[in-house]
């Protein structure tokens, strides 16, 4: 089969999650999250994170992000993020729509990570009380980032400290949460609320889920308004048990980390072997399951002509994404095809 | 087990749909509906309805309704519906939110069905061009209605004719589409586009689905704007094949009708036997899988105390909903408990 | 001149207000309400109402109402009002737009006044915490009403008490504030905050202003969010002094009451004399400057053909509005024309 | 008096406009723009621009801009502008709010003017049809810019050509329209529709108006949706004649140009004389009525301490704005104070 590194959302559903769905498919269960499985999910996630959390399953990462932000930001609020943040570049204005028009304020940062200094500086000059400027309400970081880099715990803490000093909410877009967690090798609580994160878009779909990302709320004050925003957004499933089952299976016995570690290791190897080819170089450090490479345009054309699937960016950059259900043969094949394309 | 007639969304997922999910869980598939299964779904639904349709799976009926309306109505538009329409009473303002503030205009109608005469009259007096009045953009009917009544084909045609004359869009909220179709015993196209329906919220979840309602677009001009609204609403699943698989299995070989017919027959029996008890009367004709009864408040209290689950309304009214996975023992049990409660 | 009772917004500007504008037109003044005149306006209005208020001039009554409500209601909130409330029937969805989709909940009430009992009943059955229902956030009454009736102080107090018990905000649409105040003959504070009103749309335009209605905030917690909503709505004038000047002149030495009393007396006479004609009857009590009459349709046609200006409603009802700058000859003329039309 | 160069919106109202207001203050006039003065305004503006236009007076420049854009852009649309555009930096999210969440896409450009090449490049890479990207709907330029520079006719034409090729709407924010027009010395039509402008925020307030900016619509297809957006935004004055009178007086016999030319000449002198002082340099070319200077921070502090009013920016930059009602003594005074502050 021709290699397909288009994205991790082309993947299958992990069999454990399908099995979990089948297991809860017994008799009636209360709707809209009032069922016993949803209650169990909240308990298990609280244990998993080491603190009381409220979990709201949603259909997509875009919904998780934009509705999280709707609970954080006023219509006249400002939300800080890195230039390349998915919420700013790739969600079709969902954050603006759900917040009622809040402003995303893009900031710089090396390796596609928001610079805590840039954030602190922006907050210092935010002109609070000036009615025609967006009022600081939230900051959002993506962990792992859109370019596959991973914030260190100190970097997260620095963003968290700046947010706390400014009295704004700290959101983490964790579309690839498990991939980052695997890289850092720490407890989930360490990467989130212990570093100041108030609310988390907890990705599951890209790493084995079917249709169940989730919003994990650490800051309980956000849960109530969020619950209303979700319902009127049409994001509160009636048959919630099937989302709860997926999410519980996903964190059970570290499944999420096993899957992410595999995808990460495929990416590491893919990046290492391709970057060793003449004329190829890494365009970003490989720290999760994304590989960004700079290649001659002619080679990119040849790969595309050969049917290889990947995302192409301006300036001779390609993005390759590895998956929990990917294998080493696909890597071998890709390396061989790239070598041929470069010849 | 104590009877539970709380709603049809407490039901399980039909095994055929779980099987269909498992079957498509093979290898990578393009995301966001660009996969082969989604293409097949569009073909199968087009064949099913006897005309070219575009199908957009969504997470919930609320999303299906509100996003359909967002594609139909301008922010300063008006949307006509019956007083008791779910979009007006029970969706947390989703239609207002997604349309950017359009106005729902509730109208009367016997048996909880929008009166075509009331609609025509409202359209005649709509004050088009008057800038401070909502401008007619759409009409929405619920089939089957929130009270389990079913529009006849002539009634749908009359609404459709009024809509066409006025140049407005005709939306059908088909949360219980199959239940109504089973009652009418006609082809799905007969109940929809052949009677003027432009866009349909196609319910599957209440009748055996897991997480896949859908918007079925007959009027192709609505599909493009709708696709953008869906994406920014976070309602475009990345792993769309799993929604497509459910929806295809649902219509395959008339499954939806077999399931709905069973639920409807349970309701018919439940209504008939309970209404035969002294002190009980039907509060609405039983034409689908909903039974509305008027009982003495004391009897309602006793049933609730016994742990029976149902929805209670003001004025001694209870709503009982039957399910595709319900059985006759539950009916027997309910009749016995009610008889006891009345004693 | 042919009588023109189309509305009170066809009127001129009172010369005192033009004079006030000219007087403040001296040298530079800080923009956006940071000028000395705006400060003086806040002081004078605080003295006028007998409590500390914050005043925000706006361009129109629609802006005053919808932005007031935006400061009171959450996007998933509900706002109670009488069926015929201008915010519900005649503002093009402004409240829905500015609140981000809150729901107006129309309630009955005799003489076009919201019934405190109906409000209390609706609040009792509001299903707080149920995510798909609008959550009670505000109640709005119109004083004088859209049909020229006037709430008594006890009626306002009853609404205020219901609002306070329910913990919701009490808004008064005072497009014809002075007309009502003149009828009641009380202090402005008596008709507002002393009866529980939190925020007031203070009309000036219909009674002698040029372009300066205002939001008067009694409940200080609403002032800050409101100030942001106003700015991003493009409703914060840069040259605020000219609005402040109008508003100060309007309340100076009771000008607003003298003007309103004149308009009211014209309406009283108009209603009395027309209702005395055979075939004519009042359709609402005349308590401010609006007269609603029921006439034979043929007579209405004749008046319209004669060039008389008025608003025509369904069912043989006409609305006549008197103005601060109207005169008794116009009344005489109207009575004569109507007598002829009836002949 | 201590110099005040804070902004041009601290200015008075020109007496000719007050006189025009008084002149139309005679007898009743139809409301909401249906009066004879509003009709005359449309005729006079059509003659002034040399083409049929529709004019909508609004309360503020923010309203003019954001509502213009609401008529141009879909909720999922993108609006291109220069980084420093007022609509992006200084309107509190008004454009996002009124459009329902459209995305402002900031682009570079020398001298604070949008680069036509940057625009063309952005349009070329806009990813039309990709559902999670903003879809190109409009481009907006500010003439004169926020930094007092003025687009040449060829530059406007280049933006217009790029817009036309891409099928998007071309909006001009003309808060300082007359200042730019005076600099270019051309006909108003030359600077607008003949170069491709579809819709114009026509500033009057900063240059002698009281409360009447306006939207001038060249592309007639935008007028109808705009009229609804305006009404529900509470931006349609009932007593429209007073706005119409101001706007007609403003363009009558070239008044706007005489006033702007005076302000521009004050700015030219102010810039020239201050930039001649040691340690002072221009931070932007002076082409309208705005002067941007770089000064030592200590000197800026001294000027502020002396009570001089101006806007201070980061990096030792100050903004000085001259006014139609400013005088040469204020310039003399400022030059002397600056010389002293630098000493």
């Amino acid at each position: 089969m021709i290699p397909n590194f288009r994205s991790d959302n082309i993947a299958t559903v992990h069999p454990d999650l399908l099995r979990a769905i089948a297991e809860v498919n017994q008799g009636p269960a209360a709707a809209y999250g009032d069922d016993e499985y949803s209650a169990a999910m909240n308990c298990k996630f609280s244990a998993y994170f080491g603190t009381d959390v409220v979990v709201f399953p949603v259909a997509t990462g875009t919904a998780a992000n934009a509705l999280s932000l709707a609970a954080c930001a006023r219509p006249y609020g400002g939300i800080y993020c890195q230039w390349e943040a998915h919420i700013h570049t790739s969600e079709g204005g969902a954050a603006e729509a759900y917040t009622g028009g809040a402003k995303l304020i893009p900031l710089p940062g090396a390796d596609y990570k928001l610079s805590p200094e840039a954030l602190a500086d922006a907050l210092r000059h935010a002109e609070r009380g000036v009615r025609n400027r967006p009022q600081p309400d939230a900051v959002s970081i993506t962990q792992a980032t859109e370019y596959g880099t991973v914030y260190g715990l100190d970097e997260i803490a620095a963003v968290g400290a700046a947010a706390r000093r400014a009295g704004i909410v700290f959101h983490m877009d964790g579309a690839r949460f498990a991939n980052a967690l695997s890289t850092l090798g720490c407890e989930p609580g360490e990467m989130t609320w212990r570093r100041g994160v108030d609310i988390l878009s907890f990705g599951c779909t890209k790493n084995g889920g079917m249709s169940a990302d989730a919003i994990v709320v650490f800051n309980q004050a956000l849960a109530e308004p969020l619950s209303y925003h979700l319902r009127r957004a049409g994001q509160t499933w009636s048959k919630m048990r099937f989302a709860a089952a997926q999410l519980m299976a996903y964190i059970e016995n570290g499944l999420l980390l096993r899957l992410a570690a595999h995808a990460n290791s495929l990416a590491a190897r893919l990046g290492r072997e391709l970057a060793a080819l003449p004329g190829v170089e890494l365009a970003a450090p490989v720290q999760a399951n994304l590989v960004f490479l700079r290649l001659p345009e002619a080679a990119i054309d040849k790969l595309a002509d050969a049917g290889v699937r990947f995302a192409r960016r301006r300036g001779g950059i390609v993005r390759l994404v590895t998956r929990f259900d990917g294998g080493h043969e696909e890597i071998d094949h890709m390396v061989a095809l790239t070598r041929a394309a470069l010849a």
Side-chain angles (χ1 to χ4, degrees), chain A residues 127-264:
Chain A
E127 304 188 77
R128 282 170 194 272
V130 178
R131 264 57 182 171
N132 65 347
R133 307 288 189 195
Q135 296 299 296
D137 273 344
V139 58
S140 178
I141 67 170
T142 313
Q143 173 77 327
T145 72
E146 292 75 9
Y147 281 76
T149 52
V150 172
Y151 287 83
L153 295 182
D154 286 357
E155 292 172 311
I156 301 171
V159 171
R164 197 169 46 251
R165 273 195 307 275
I168 67 174
V169 177
F170 185 5
H171 168 254
M172 178 181 279
D173 173 359
R176 296 187 178 93
F177 183 84
N179 302 89
L181 192 63
S182 170
T183 297
L184 292 185
C186 67
E187 291 298 311
E190 293 297 324
M191 198 171 85
T192 53
W193 65 276
R194 288 190 190 277
R195 295 296 177 282
V197 174
D198 293 293
I199 188 166
L200 166 70
S201 296
F202 178 81
C204 163
T205 301
K206 290 179 193 293
N207 192 37
M210 182 169 79
S211 56
D213 290 307
I215 301 172
V216 176
V217 182
F218 302 109
N219 177 340
Q220 304 281 329
L222 302 172
E224 158 126 349
L226 178 56
S227 69
Y228 287 99
H229 280 289
L230 284 161
R231 186 65 178 269
R232 76 203 291 263
Q235 287 283 356
T236 306
W237 274 305
S238 54
K239 293 183 169 174
M240 191 68 91
R241 57 173 142 172
F242 300 104
Q246 289 179 64
L247 288 163
M248 285 190 284
Y250 181 62
I251 63 169
E252 185 92 356
N253 297 321
L255 175 64
L256 80 172
L257 285 179
R258 287 200 306 279
L259 303 182
H262 175 64
N264 286 3

